[in-house]
Amino acid sequence: MSQRHDLRRFPGFLQLTLLCLLLLYAPLMVVMVYSFNDNTSITIWGGFSLRWYEDVFFGVEAPKFKQAALNSLSIATMAATCATIIAISSAVAMMRARQLRGRTASFALINLPLMVPEIVTAVASLIFFSAIGFTTGYATILVAHIVFCIPFAYLPIAARMQSIEDTYEQAAMDLYATPAQAFRLVLLPLMMPGVFSGFLLAFIISLDDFLITNFVKGAGIETLPTAIFGSVKTGIKPNIMAISTLLLLVSVGFVTLSYLASRMGQNKEQKT
Amino acid sequence: MAGGIASASESAGIYKGRAGLLILPSWLIIGFFLLLPVCMMLIYSFLTKEFRGGVIWEFSLAAYDQFFFNRGLFGDEPPQIEWTYINIFWRSLWQAGLATIFCLVIGFPTAWFIATRVPRHRTIWLLLITIPYWVNLLIRTVSMKFLIRDTGPLNEFLIWLGAIGEPLHLINTNIAVQLGLFYSYLPFMVLPIYASAERYNFSLSEAAADLYAGRWTILRVVILPAVKPGIIAGSILVFVPSLGAFLAPDLLGGAKTFMIGSLIEEQFKGNAGNWPFGAATSMILLSIVMTVLIFYARSQTRREAR
């Protein structure tokens, strides 16, 4: 009998899991530690210091990185907002309307940005913008980001909607709510946890993108990843490690936020 | 899934006649800014190159010809197979394949281990796996580069351990690129396998044990086939982005480790660019990826039909 309980376990799997985590975290940890290194050489440990963080905010390159960070944040905010709104509208159509023609085609289309390799999207966007005579710059980055953010916003929203029965909306309609009211006052609040994690996902994905941005950005405008890439090309400097650590903390913060939001959504459901 | 469809049929009245309008924004944005551009790229791959980037609107097969054939310096010799680009594709294919295998070897045990924890602990393990994925890919690749440099912490640590006498030269080798790819996409392998493993019915294992199957026989004969959908999904999620990866080969590799992503990028940067050739190479990459995905979709529908 005791052997039956062991059927789930395989010797060595725990060790491999720990190895997996070690592999995932070691490079990040090393960079985090070395970002506090008080030495101009990145190789030799010279004691703890915050000088590279000071350099990030007040150093020679500070204005460049500040502008890049502002661009990244404003593009991510706008792209994630637009993508979330489009995703909500698509999710309602896909999950609620039986008579929707071409559902399979629509599903494939929404997921197309996930299927086309990033480098191909980048090339196609560059060719397209140049063919129709769009000047590459802030606007082209924003449009490209909205496109690839849509599936990331859509997936959590659609997953959330799948668990919401439409009886609530039916009830609202029985009480003479207009479809718009039924959506705004009943369905939207119910799908809010999905909307929230969809938005966060899209936001992080936009913040993360290097390749497509690099193709459609044109000269004279940088986002944080393209600025970091340009800087890293000539060698890894300590201030890059400080920036990396800060960005890393932002990402971790967002994931935790998204995790907590989804847990709160679940708790609420269990209580009702 | 069934519940979703059932409720959709009941609610036909609420959004009657509005569904098309609701789905329209997705079609407009993705259709206009992705589908149309890909078609445009197909057209560009058949145009003549302009020397400072861009194209001349004249039909030409030169881009595909350049990819597959070598006609000598002046283009007047009898065509021979051009191996340069085929080799780059071949290297990308095996690098991506190898990354998939390594991710599977580490990812499967991890996913299985997490799926067999008590539910309360699973979320925490999963969160630990997903956090690195949400960290900027560029930063992760740079971190890897920092770690494995000739004078980096990994070499220092190994020398301190006494495992090696002098530093390993990893940067600019295929091994470094492989490490980068593996590291970039490892979480993609764990999550789908976990999703399959979580639904695994343990009475199957018990039945097999009753029939005197050993632990590893159960793993091979019962568990692996049961979580196969997760393994296939994970493999695609690792293989496809690895194939067109740019950051890992570019930052960790060198001229001898060139992959498709860098080859394409090179055609659109600076004055050496050749837009039709870049477009043609992108089309070839896209066809490979779409073939993989179509085979996957077909195997999925066959599975559902059964």
Side-chain angles (χ1 to χ4, degrees):
Chain A
M1 241 357 236
S2 70
Q3 213 201 339
R4 292 215 159 173
H5 293 288
D6 280 340
L7 280 178
R8 291 158 184 262
R9 302 219 170 116
F10 289 91
F13 276 28
L14 168 66
Q15 286 78 354
L16 280 171
T17 305
L18 295 178
L19 177 68
C20 178
L21 287 178
L22 178 74
L23 287 169
L24 286 174
Y25 283 92
L28 300 175
M29 292 300 168
V30 164
V31 163
M32 259 179 150
V33 169
Y34 272 82
S35 71
F36 295 106
N37 185 5
D38 184 31
N39 200 322
T40 326
S41 151
I42 54 169
T43 323
I44 303 151
W45 181 255
F48 178 88
S49 109
L50 288 173
R51 61 184 285 198
W52 300 115
Y53 289 90
E54 214 180 296
D55 187 72
V56 168
F57 288 106
F58 308 106
V60 198
E61 289 187 301
K64 185 181 96 181
F65 283 120
K66 201 169 154 192
Q67 187 56 48
L70 281 177
N71 289 338
S72 269
L73 286 174
S74 62
I75 287 169
T77 310
M78 282 190 277
T81 308
C82 294
T84 309
I85 293 170
I86 294 168
I88 292 173
S89 136
S90 303
V92 171
M94 295 283 286
M95 314 296 284
R96 282 289 190 264
R98 187 185 43 159
Q99 73 278 38
L100 180 66
R101 267 175 293 144
R103 185 191 301 274
T104 321
S106 297
F107 187 73
L109 183 93
I110 291 169
N111 286 299
L112 193 65
L114 294 180
M115 293 190 277
V116 179
E118 224 189 328
I119 183 89
V120 176
T121 307
V123 166
S125 305
L126 174 64
I127 285 175
F128 177 71
F129 287 135
S130 100
I132 62 170
F134 253 50
T135 323
T136 47
Y138 193 90
T140 49
I141 301 177
L142 182 60
V143 169
H145 278 225
I146 293 174
V147 172
F148 69 71
C149 281
I150 289 175
F152 287 98
Y154 175 81
L155 292 174
I157 294 173
R160 175 76 193 167
M161 270 197 76
Q162 212 152 47
S163 65
I164 304 172
E165 293 284 331
D166 71 337
T167 41
Y168 305 110
E169 293 147 87
Q170 299 282 6
M173 299 284 282
D174 288 345
L175 297 167
Y176 300 103
T178 62
Q181 283 173 326
F183 169 74
R184 192 166 51 86
L185 300 172
V186 179
L187 182 59
L188 193 60
L190 282 172
M191 61 198 261
M192 222 43 204
V195 171
F196 190 61
S197 36
F199 176 84
L200 287 182
L201 249 166
F203 188 88
I204 296 183
I205 289 294
S206 164
L207 217 53
D208 182 72
D209 181 73
F210 163 75
L211 200 47
I212 295 171
T213 312
N214 195 34
F215 266 74
V216 300
K217 77 183 175 65
I221 180 165
E222 302 279 0
T223 64
L224 216 39
T226 63
I228 293 173
F229 184 80
S231 188
V232 164
K233 270 286 165 188
T234 54
I236 305 174
K237 279 167 278 177
N239 62 343
I240 291 299
M241 290 197 265
I243 292 181
S244 300
T245 308
L246 291 171
L247 253 176
L248 202 149
L249 292 178
V250 170
S251 306
V252 173
F254 267 84
V255 181
T256 321
L257 211 61
S258 163
Y259 168 73
L260 291 177
S262 73
R263 247 194 24 181
M264 262 161 61
Q266 280 166 2
N267 285 349
K268 226 186 257 172
E269 221 160 72
Q270 277 158 8
K271 272 176 205 154
T272 47
Chain B
M1 200 59 197
I5 290 165
S7 67
S9 64
E10 285 156 22
S11 63
I14 301 184
Y15 298 101
K16 197 174 181 180
R18 293 189 178 82
L21 205 63
L22 287 170
I23 200 82
L24 192 66
S26 276
W27 276 96
L28 279 182
I29 298 281
I30 300 178
F32 196 69
F33 291 108
L34 184 59
L35 210 52
L36 189 62
V38 169
C39 299
M40 207 89 151
M41 187 177 76
L42 178 64
I43 297 174
Y44 264 52
S45 72
F46 290 108
L47 295 178
T48 310
K49 80 165 173 180
E50 163 91 69
F51 278 93
R52 283 169 301 138
V55 287
I56 304 166
W57 281 83
E58 253 172 60
F59 177 81
S60 153
L61 283 173
Y64 291 94
D65 189 82
Q66 182 187 344
F67 190 94
F68 290 108
F69 299 111
N70 180 359
R71 293 173 194 273
L73 197 55
F74 301 104
D76 51 0
E77 289 165 32
Q80 285 179 311
I81 302 271
E82 168 67 68
W83 289 105
T84 317
Y85 308 117
I86 297 174
N87 280 340
I88 290 174
F89 265 70
W90 176 238
R91 182 184 302 124
S92 307
L93 282 169
W94 69 251
Q95 282 278 33
L98 216 57
T100 311
I101 293 169
F102 285 139
C103 285
L104 188 60
V105 168
I106 297 281
F108 173 77
T110 305
W112 183 262
F113 178 81
I114 296 175
T116 51
R117 297 302 94 192
V118 291
R120 208 158 34 87
H121 291 168
R122 282 181 208 166
T123 353
I124 295 164
W125 283 103
L126 275 183
L127 196 65
L128 281 176
I129 297 287
T130 29
I131 284 175
Y133 166 67
W134 294 119
V135 174
N136 199 303
L137 181 60
L138 173 63
I139 287 177
R140 283 191 288 150
T141 314
V142 170
S143 310
M144 185 51 95
K145 182 171 183 165
F146 178 74
L147 182 68
I148 64 174
R149 277 171 317 134
D150 289 355
T151 53
L154 180 70
N155 272 317
E156 277 180 15
F157 179 68
L158 288 176
I159 290 172
W160 178 79
L161 270 184
I164 48 172
E166 45 192 79
L168 302 167
H169 296 292
L170 290 171
I171 286 291
N172 296 346
T173 65
N174 282 321
I175 301 171
V177 176
Q178 181 55 235
L179 253 174
L181 293 176
F182 166 80
Y183 179 55
S184 303
Y185 304 115
L186 180 57
F188 285 179
M189 184 63 92
V190 179
L191 298 177
I193 299 183
Y194 166 79
S196 281
E198 200 197 11
R199 286 197 299 269
Y200 177 72
N201 182 356
F202 276 95
S203 44
L204 290 174
S205 284
E206 283 170 21
D210 286 344
L211 297 168
Y212 300 104
R215 194 189 297 277
W216 299 104
T217 314
I218 296 177
L219 178 68
R220 193 164 45 84
V221 181
V222 184
I223 296 176
L224 279 181
V227 298
K228 203 171 123 196
I231 292 178
I232 295 176
S235 300
I236 286 176
L237 285 179
V238 173
F239 183 79
V240 168
S242 297
L243 194 60
F246 171 74
L247 282 175
D250 193 73
L251 287 174
L252 301 169
K256 283 183 189 163
T257 64
F258 226 60
M259 280 175 60
I260 304 173
S262 311
L263 175 66
I264 295 174
E265 202 251 9
E266 212 175 44
Q267 309 307 323
F268 294 92
K269 291 287 157 201
N271 288 336
N274 180 342
W275 284 35
F277 183 67
T281 315
S282 301
M283 279 316 296
I284 297 170
L285 171 64
L286 185 62
S287 337
I288 297 177
V289 168
M290 285 300 153
T291 314
V292 172
L293 291 178
I294 286 168
F295 267 103
Y296 173 63
R298 277 180 52 187
S299 74
Q300 283 298 95
T301 41
R302 242 183 292 141
R303 184 184 304 281
E304 273 160 31
R306 257 191 277 147

